[in-house]
Amino acid sequence: MSNSSSPIVVALDFEKKQEALRLIEQLDPKLCRLKIGKEMFTHFGPDFVRQLVSKDFDVFLDLKFHDIPNTVAKACKAAADLGVWMINVHASGGEKMMTYARDAMQDFGADAPLLIAVTVLTSMSQDELNQLGVSGRLDEQVKRLASLAQQAGLDGVVCSAHEAKTLKADLGQAFQLVTPGIRLANAQQDDQTRIMTPHQALSNGSDYLVIGRPITQSSQPLQTLYEITDSIAELLNH
Ligand code: C5P
């Protein structure tokens, strides 16, 4: 089901489809995968996803489903029908919701997408979490929801690269960690605050690096992709 062995997942956050397609023309499906989020999916829908899949890209459909178990299971099935490589749900939807999602993937056998969970959104502060009635520490809540996702049979979680080391130690090598907030050494941070370079994130235990603007806004995206690939080569050849 996978066309690439690269850990790099390029986040396509464009308002115009043509801009995204222009970028994709310059990328190589062997060197990276693509992430489509709520913005592009809402604008351009499943046909756009199919278009990327037909160009041999592994697609992470980042729609973060969170609803009653039956609805989430059906939404996950609809996403898997598009032929994508990875999908996700909110772990805070609970174990039953995640188990239903996992079960919905069984019919797809070896073609099933990776099913991962979002724990606590990294945009959320400790105060905001407490406001929701969660009284414990934010990092403990991340750990609790990641364990719950593993218990429900999911393949991994989205997390900050700063959490990756602890989560790998607690949940084991096979549990996949997908990390945004990646910036190249000496590059601009944009609105990301707790950033890591690709090399640091992989060394910390990340399995997949979600990288948007450093590639999408680059004047030479393929060149940037090669540079990132080179910077992590020593970590991939083992
Ligand atoms: O451009 P940049 O590399 O910051 O893009 C990161 C991508 O990862 C965006 O699509 C953003 O929505 C997503 N993301 C994130 N932080 C999270 C979860 C997702 O930056 N905690």
Side-chain angles (χ1 to χ4, degrees):
M1 161 102 227
S2 176
N3 295 307
S4 174
S5 58
S6 172
I8 303 167
V9 183
V10 180
L12 291 181
D13 296 312
F14 289 101
E15 280 176 35
K16 296 200 173 85
K17 195 188 333 188
Q18 283 317 317
E19 282 179 22
L21 291 174
R22 208 173 306 133
L23 171 77
I24 293 159
E25 292 307 320
Q26 301 173 62
L27 299 177
D28 179 345
K30 289 199 179 58
L31 286 183
C32 66
R33 308 164 198 259
L34 303 175
K35 178 175 93 68
I36 301 291
K38 285 186 168 122
E39 180 186 4
M40 289 207 82
F41 188 77
T42 305
H43 275 304
F44 309 114
D47 280 344
F48 181 56
V49 177
R50 286 192 199 96
Q51 195 175 356
L52 303 182
V53 171
S54 74
K55 291 178 187 291
D56 289 337
F57 281 99
D58 285 353
V59 176
F60 170 16
L61 190 56
D62 179 17
L63 297 182
K64 302 185 181 72
F65 295 130
H66 187 171
D67 210 312
I68 59 170
N70 194 44
T71 301
V72 165
K74 287 184 173 166
C76 286
K77 183 181 176 311
D81 278 334
L82 295 174
V84 298
W85 156 76
M86 178 181 276
I87 61 174
N88 59 358
V89 299
H90 268 284
S92 52
E95 187 176 7
K96 186 170 170 194
M97 188 203 81
M98 289 192 278
T99 309
Y100 271 49
R102 177 73 275 165
D103 289 350
M105 295 300 96
Q106 273 172 6
D107 289 348
F108 294 88
D111 288 335
L114 290 171
L115 174 61
I116 59 165
V118 176
T119 56
V120 179
L121 292 170
T122 49
S123 55
M124 188 163 276
S125 66
Q126 177 72 57
D127 284 349
E128 285 175 300
L129 190 69
N130 297 149
Q131 216 172 35
L132 297 179
V134 179
S135 54
R137 280 195 358 229
L138 195 148
D139 59 335
E140 287 164 357
Q141 181 69 357
V142 168
K143 216 187 251 189
R144 181 179 300 120
L145 290 175
S147 300
L148 194 64
Q150 187 175 48
Q151 215 169 292
L154 268 62
D155 298 303
V157 288
V158 181
C159 67
S160 150
H162 293 267
E163 295 156 354
K165 203 173 255 178
T166 322
L167 289 177
K168 268 287 177 200
D170 288 349
L171 302 172
Q173 279 304 315
F175 199 62
Q176 306 286 290
L177 304 181
V178 180
T179 60
I182 305 294
R183 287 296 177 269
L184 313 192
N186 306 321
Q188 67 180 48
Q189 280 187 230
D190 303 311
D191 55 355
Q192 297 283 8
T193 48
R194 300 171 70 223
I195 53 172
M196 274 203 190
T197 65
H199 192 280
Q200 287 170 327
L202 288 179
S203 304
N204 259 19
S206 299
D207 295 283
Y208 297 106
L209 312 171
V210 174
I211 309 178
R213 286 161 290 181
I215 295 174
T216 60
Q217 304 304 312
S218 165
S219 56
Q220 293 178 297
L222 185 61
Q223 183 59 32
T224 305
L225 191 52
Y226 280 131
E227 282 167 21
I228 299 173
T229 306
D230 282 349
S231 77
I232 55 179
E234 61 169 31
L235 299 172
L236 302 179
N237 300 325
H238 55 75

